[in-house]
Amino acid sequence: MIILYDYFSSDVKKVAVFLTDGFSTRGVEFARASAGTLTRKGIELFSVGISGHVDGAELDELSSKPRKSHQLNIETPGKFFTTDQVEHFAKEICNHE
């Protein structure tokens, strides 16, 4: 994982987008610790589940709240994201409050 947060000015939204195909090989505890480190640095977390076999608890660990707007997940094996889903998710990522 490459962390670039020290290189951005304070007025730029800082995000991390995690892509996962299922379960972390290092486990949910590692995901929780990694996410906690990033969150403490002020980085907003988004996650994308790219298979129908994603561990929901782990996806939650890799997402800021509210979870619904910080996750994009394929819930049916063999399906793909729609253009509308991707565009909506991209807008959520770029939304600067």
Side-chain angles (χ1 to χ4, degrees), residues 10-56:
S10 61
D11 62 336
V12 174
K13 182 178 181 179
K14 297 163 191 71
V15 302
V17 179
F18 293 94
L19 302 175
T20 181
D21 64 352
F23 295 83
S24 169
T25 56
R26 297 178 107 182
V28 71
E29 292 301 322
F30 178 78
R32 181 179 296 122
S34 298
T37 298
L38 295 172
T39 301
R40 284 189 296 281
K41 297 288 186 179
I43 298 173
E44 191 170 355
L45 308 180
F46 292 85
S47 60
V48 180
I50 57 173
S51 81
H53 307 288
V54 174
D55 178 9

Side-chain angles (χ1 to χ4, degrees), residues 4-97:
L4 301 174
Y5 56 81
D6 290 332
Y7 302 104
F8 298 114
S9 66
S10 61
D11 62 336
V12 174
K13 182 178 181 179
K14 297 163 191 71
V15 302
V17 179
F18 293 94
L19 302 175
T20 181
D21 64 352
F23 295 83
S24 169
T25 56
R26 297 178 107 182
V28 71
E29 292 301 322
F30 178 78
R32 181 179 296 122
S34 298
T37 298
L38 295 172
T39 301
R40 284 189 296 281
K41 297 288 186 179
I43 298 173
E44 191 170 355
L45 308 180
F46 292 85
S47 60
V48 180
I50 57 173
S51 81
H53 307 288
V54 174
D55 178 9
E58 195 162 333
L59 203 64
D60 285 348
E61 293 294 338
L62 297 173
S63 305
S64 296
K65 293 179 183 177
R67 304 272 194 249
K68 185 175 182 179
S69 63
H70 286 77
Q71 292 180 351
L72 182 60
N73 191 21
I74 293 177
E75 296 182 7
T76 305
K79 297 291 183 182
F80 298 99
F81 297 117
T82 66
T83 301
D84 288 342
Q85 287 174 306
V86 173
E87 287 177 356
H88 179 76
F89 193 64
K91 287 177 185 175
E92 288 292 338
I93 293 170
C94 295
N95 183 24
H96 192 51
E97 296 178 5

